[in-house]
Every structure is written in structure tokens, then in C-alpha cells.
Amino acid sequence: MLGQIIQYFQNNSGQYWQYVGQHITLTVVTLAISMVIALPLGYIGSRIKVVANFCVAFAQVLRIIPSLALLFLLIPFIGTGIVPALIALVVLALPPLLINTILGFNEVSPLYKEVGTALGMSQRQLCRQIEIPLALPYILNGIKLAIVEIIASATLATYIGAGGLGTLIFTGLGLFDMSYVVIGAVSVAILSFLAMTSFDYLIRKVQKYDKANYSI
């Protein structure tokens, strides 16, 4: 099998990097859309309990929907291609983003807000200089969970013509050629690992900054 893998990269390296590019593009676009939806909604949810309860219930419902089932449910309404794949992946990415954003803002101690108010800060300044920095580790953790979920689930987007590394996996399954499956699966695992370790490092840096600057 190792020889087949080496031969594939010798003959199809351009195609491989095209699949990697498609996978990363799909992941980045999905994450951007999800953040635009989830972060403001999560912030509002941290302020308004009814919105928070709705977001939590909505996130729990989304978590029980299998990604492959969601992809196939969208086909009759939207067809195949990038758009239904983006919708399905956004739905899968929203729960961790919503939950962690609400949790992050709720974990900010009222004491910090009282100190900021006593120093004459406006609500906007409190949000920008105190709430967001202290909530950021939780938000970043939500982004980490979401991006790992997207990278893994984007392999299924191949079923509806969205491309990506899933093409290699399903081509290998169709041809009974495990070398394609291994290349695709290992590549997805590497992308997930790199994303996870990068965000873990970033979270540690932010937490260290918060401890240095917001210790009372």
C-alpha cells in the first residue's frame, strides 16, 4: 500500500492539493458564516435569558441531526454543490459556537464590570475592553470545536458534489483501493490536528494575557 500511496503523490500531486484547497476553502467559508451568526446571537443570549434558553435548545436539536442525513434532506430543495454543503456544515458548526459564546460572557465576573463602571467606562468600552477579552478563551474553544467538526464533516460533502478530501475517500471505497482512503482520511486527520493544536496554543496565550492584565 505504501508504494501505491507514493505513486499517487508522484502522479497526482496537483490533484491532491486541489482537494486540500477545496477542503480548506469550504471549512473557512463555513466557519466565517457560522461566526457571523453565532457570536452576536451568543452575546445577546448572555444578556437575555429567553434568548439563551432558545439558543441552548436550538443547539441541542442541531446536535442530534446526522450530517449525512441533513445533506440528503437539502438536495430536493437546493440541489447539489457548494450551497447545500455550506448550509449543512453551518448547521453543524453553530452549536459549539453558540454554547461557548454564551458561557464565555456569562463567566465574566460582575466585579470587573463594576470596577470598569467606577472608572467611567461606557457600556461599549466595558464590552470591548473587559467582557470580550475575558470571554475570548471560551469563544476560541467554541471555534476550535466547530472547526474540527467542519473539517471532519466536510468529507461527506463529496456526496453532493462539493469536492474536498472526501473525494479521495469515496473514490477509494468505490474502487476498493484502500490507498485512496488512507490518503484522504490521514489528510483530514492532519488538518483537524493542526487546527486543534493551533487553537489550543492560542487559547493558552489568551488565558495567560488575561491573568496578567485582569487580576484583581
Side-chain angles (χ1 to χ4, degrees), residues 8 30 47 64 76 152 168 189 192:
Y8 172 83
T30 300
R47 297 302 184 96
I64 66 174
L168 287 170
S192 297

Side-chain angles (χ1 to χ4, degrees), residues 72 101 192:
F72 280 115
T101 301
S192 297

Side-chain angles (χ1 to χ4, degrees), residues 1-204:
M1 182 185 294
L2 182 59
Q4 291 175 303
I5 293 173
I6 293 172
Q7 185 178 8
Y8 172 83
F9 281 107
Q10 288 175 339
N11 299 329
N12 302 284
S13 60
Q15 182 186 64
Y16 170 78
W17 289 112
Q18 181 181 359
Y19 291 148
V20 172
Q22 291 172 346
H23 208 94
I24 292 174
T25 300
L26 189 60
T27 298
V28 171
V29 173
T30 300
L31 184 64
I33 295 172
S34 303
M35 289 172 63
V36 168
I37 297 170
L39 298 187
L41 191 58
Y43 176 74
I44 295 170
S46 70
R47 297 302 184 96
I48 305 173
K49 190 173 181 180
V50 174
V51 177
N53 292 337
F54 170 79
C55 289
V56 171
F58 180 64
Q60 290 174 341
V61 170
L62 293 183
R63 280 176 170 169
I64 66 174
I65 302 176
S67 51
L68 186 58
L70 184 59
L71 285 169
F72 280 115
L73 285 172
L74 290 171
I75 290 175
F77 303 100
I78 308 177
T80 60
I82 296 294
V83 174
L86 282 173
I87 294 174
L89 292 173
V90 166
V91 168
L92 293 171
L94 285 176
L97 286 170
L98 279 172
I99 297 298
N100 281 273
T101 301
I102 293 172
L103 178 63
F105 283 108
N106 283 339
E107 286 296 313
V108 177
S109 173
L111 181 60
Y112 293 105
K113 300 177 187 179
E114 291 173 8
V115 172
T117 302
L119 293 173
M121 288 185 176
S122 65
Q123 186 59 46
R124 180 175 295 181
Q125 289 173 319
L126 285 172
C127 179
R128 187 176 66 251
Q129 298 179 31
I130 294 178
E131 291 182 295
I132 292 178
L134 291 173
L136 192 55
Y138 296 90
I139 296 172
L140 289 174
N141 189 57
I143 295 172
K144 180 188 74 173
L145 296 174
I147 198 170
V148 171
E149 177 74 28
I150 295 167
I151 290 171
S153 299
T155 56
L156 299 175
T158 299
Y159 264 125
I160 56 174
L165 290 165
T167 306
L168 287 170
I169 296 174
F170 293 115
T171 298
L173 292 174
L175 297 174
F176 299 100
D177 188 341
M178 289 305 296
S179 63
Y180 282 86
V181 177
V182 170
I183 293 168
V186 171
S187 298
V188 171
I190 290 172
L191 286 179
S192 297
F193 176 77
L194 291 174
M196 186 171 58
T197 53
S198 298
F199 273 94
D200 282 338
Y201 173 77
L202 187 57
I203 290 167
R204 287 195 299 270

